[in-house]
């Protein structure tokens, strides 16, 4: 009896896990694709909201669609189902005969799935370990720079409203000095201490004066990141030295800093990595036509008064800036030399503004607009000229 039953059932139960494995493979492949895409993306493109949204969306997608089952509907070939359909599937004789019950088959399948998930989770964990989640930032506080950036962004949006997600909010504008990965509170504290420790060296580099960063013109990294350029000059060399000093102090404390990219100080105001959806819509590059009329725009000066250790992933502050773990501030010496330098810097910034206004007024389109508005405006204050005058 046992032998006959065994023979009759051998076909349907032959290597049940192997029979279900194509489903598992599809499932694993789907998951790997998602993981690979996530790593292709640059997480340190510090947008906690978009990073969190993506993670939540992915989680929801996974929860909604158990991929194996969805992609391959149940068929009678599925051994687990066949076993479950047998009239004595739940009978004790099933176990007595040495075959797995339908429940244990399900359990086995789940165990198989879990192995895949753990492998994926391990890979993901390893990558997460390397991924930058903190950065040292020079915040942009100049309202002139912010309004210049907003003007460019408005022009970009007029040309392509879909790009709104790729824009950096004025409150988040910053210059990155370095990026790093800090995996726990102790490491964050260590990095914060390192930043504080660099302060005297930074003060020394500034020679008691101010560091004024003039931004002019627009450039890009691979047409994916668009930024205001830092003008060349002594200030750029000083900023490089500051970044270098911070990096060194971090490394002395055992904190690896940098992402393998050369330090090219820049002020990002638009980047595709903020909006992965755009890539899926086929927008893979940011066309320079989008900002052509601002290509040589003078954005203005930022006087560096602070550098921050910021989190890429923690919730931003209400003004749109990043969560700061530590900040160090610079004090300029208040002597005649520095006052003169400050006045000179202010004069330069006013001059830049004046030049922009002059440039605007010299454009024929602006002149036509002004003429039209003047012609249309009521003039109660203008008395009709009398012949005697
Ligand atoms: P950030 O302005 O720091 O938000 O950086 C914007 C993007 O520019 C990030 O994806 C950086 O990885 C990228 N980036 C920074 N420096 C460079 C560089 N020297 N070459 C190419 N890409 C860079």
């Amino acid at each position: 009896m046992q032998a006959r039953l065994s023979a009759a059932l051998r076909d349907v139960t032959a290597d049940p896990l192997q029979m279900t494995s194509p489903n598992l493979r599809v499932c694993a492949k789907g998951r790997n694709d998602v993981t690979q895409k996530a790593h292709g993306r640059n997480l340190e493109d510090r947008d906690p909201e978009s990073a969190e949204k993506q993670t939540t969306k992915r989680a929801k997608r996974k929860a909604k669609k158990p991929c194996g089952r969805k992609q391959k509907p149940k068929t009678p070939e599925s051994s687990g189902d066949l076993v479950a359909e047998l009239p004595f599937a739940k009978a004790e004789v099933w176990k007595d005969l040495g075959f797995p019950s339908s429940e244990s088959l399900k359990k086995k399948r789940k165990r198989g799935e879990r192995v895949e998930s753990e492998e994926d989770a391990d890979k993901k964990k390893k990558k997460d370990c390397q991924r930058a989640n903190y950065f040292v930032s020079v915040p942009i506080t100049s309202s002139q720079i912010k309004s210049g950036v907003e003007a460019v962004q408005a022009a970009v949006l007029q040309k392509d409203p879909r790009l709104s997600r790729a824009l950096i909010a004025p409150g988040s504008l910053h210059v990155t000095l370095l990026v790093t990965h800090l995996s726990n509170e102790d490491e964050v504290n260590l990095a914060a201490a390192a930043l504080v420790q660099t302060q005297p060296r930074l003060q020394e580099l500034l020679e008691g004066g101010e560091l004024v960063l003039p931004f002019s013109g627009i450039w890009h990294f691979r047409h994916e990141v668009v930024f205001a350029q830092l003008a060349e000059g002594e200030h750029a060399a000083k900023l490089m030295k500051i970044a270098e000093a911070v990096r060194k102090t971090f490394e002395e404390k055992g904190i690896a800093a940098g992402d393998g990219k050369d330090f090219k100080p820049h002020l990002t105001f638009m980047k595709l990595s903020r909006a992965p959806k755009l890539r899926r819509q086929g927008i893979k590059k940011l066309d320079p036509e989008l900002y052509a009329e601002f290509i040589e725009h003078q954005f203005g000066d930022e006087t560096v008064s602070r550098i921050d250790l910021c989190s890429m992933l923690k919730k931003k502050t209400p003004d749109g800036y990043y969560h700061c773990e530590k900040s160090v501030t610079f004090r300029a010496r208040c002597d005649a030399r520095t006052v003169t330098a400050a006045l000179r810097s202010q004069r330069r910034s006013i001059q830049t503004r004046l030049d922009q206004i002059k440039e605007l007024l010299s454009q024929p389109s602006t002149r036509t607009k002004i003429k039209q508005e003047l012609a249309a405006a009521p003039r109660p204050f203008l008395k009709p000229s009398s012949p005697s005058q």
Side-chain angles (χ1 to χ4, degrees), residues 287-308:
D287 188 345
E289 257 311 303
L290 290 163
Y291 48 85
E293 65 265 43
F294 291 93
I295 205 86
E296 289 183 356
H297 186 77
Q298 308 276 320
F299 286 90
D301 296 346
E302 175 68 39
T303 303
V304 181
S305 58
R306 203 180 88 210
I307 62 173
D308 305 314

Side-chain angles (χ1 to χ4, degrees), residues 91-344:
E92 279 303 298
V93 65
W94 186 248
K95 273 189 228 156
D96 294 345
L97 294 175
F99 292 107
S101 68
S102 58
E103 279 92 79
S104 74
L105 276 174
K106 276 182 199 157
K107 269 182 203 161
K108 266 196 186 174
R109 209 182 309 168
K110 274 189 187 156
R111 268 202 292 276
E113 274 181 357
R114 215 179 302 136
V115 170
E116 295 278 348
S117 306
E118 276 164 12
E119 275 173 18
D120 283 349
D122 280 351
K123 274 188 210 160
K124 197 172 171 302
K125 246 188 225 166
K126 262 187 205 164
K127 296 244 175 174
D128 279 349
C129 284
Q130 299 143 11
R131 217 182 256 170
N133 55 354
Y134 280 82
F135 64 108
V136 175
S137 153
V138 173
I140 297 297
T141 57
S142 151
S143 50
Q144 188 195 341
I145 296 180
K146 287 183 183 183
S147 56
V149 164
E150 279 176 310
V152 188
Q153 291 179 331
V156 168
L157 278 189
Q158 247 187 358
K159 290 178 185 161
D160 191 342
R162 291 174 303 171
L163 294 175
S164 64
R165 285 162 176 271
L167 304 179
I168 309 293
S172 304
L173 293 172
H174 64 277
V175 176
T176 304
L177 295 186
L178 63 81
V179 296
T180 184
H181 178 89
L182 305 171
S183 41
N184 53 45
E185 215 182 313
D186 287 347
E187 287 187 13
V188 172
N189 292 337
L190 199 63
L195 193 67
V196 173
Q197 200 178 308
T198 34
Q199 192 177 25
R201 171 80 186 118
L202 304 188
Q203 204 76 57
E204 198 183 299
L205 282 169
L206 295 182
E207 296 161 336
E210 280 178 328
L211 177 57
V212 180
L213 304 176
F215 290 93
S216 76
I218 298 181
W219 196 239
H220 61 87
F221 292 135
R222 294 182 305 167
H223 292 293
E224 290 174 3
V225 180
V226 183
F227 53 83
Q229 282 180 300
L230 178 64
E232 280 174 16
E234 206 188 318
H235 51 267
K238 270 194 185 161
L239 191 66
M240 304 274 243
K241 280 186 188 160
I242 289 177
E244 182 58 18
V246 180
R247 191 187 61 77
K248 251 191 182 166
T249 321
F250 270 47
E251 286 181 354
E252 277 163 17
K253 296 230 172 219
I255 306 165
D259 57 359
K261 292 186 176 109
D262 291 343
F263 176 57
K264 287 187 190 154
H266 61 276
L267 171 49
T268 303
F269 60 82
M270 175 162 68
K271 56 185 175 186
L272 274 181
S273 54
R274 265 184 65 81
K277 206 175 162 189
L278 293 178
R279 280 183 186 275
R280 290 199 290 274
Q281 289 175 348
I283 304 176
K284 296 197 168 107
K285 298 282 167 199
L286 294 164
D287 188 345
E289 257 311 303
L290 290 163
Y291 48 85
E293 65 265 43
F294 291 93
I295 205 86
E296 289 183 356
H297 186 77
Q298 308 276 320
F299 286 90
D301 296 346
E302 175 68 39
T303 303
V304 181
S305 58
R306 203 180 88 210
I307 62 173
D308 305 314
L309 173 66
C310 296
S311 163
M312 290 181 193
L313 300 175
K314 287 187 183 169
K315 196 172 165 20
K316 286 183 179 170
T317 57
D319 61 0
Y321 191 60
Y322 298 89
H323 172 92
C324 283
E325 300 288 353
K326 194 58 145 189
S327 298
V328 296
T329 50
F330 303 112
R331 256 177 303 114
R333 245 187 349 235
C334 201
D335 57 16
R337 218 177 102 210
T338 36
V339 171
T340 313
L343 283 174
R344 212 174 287 139

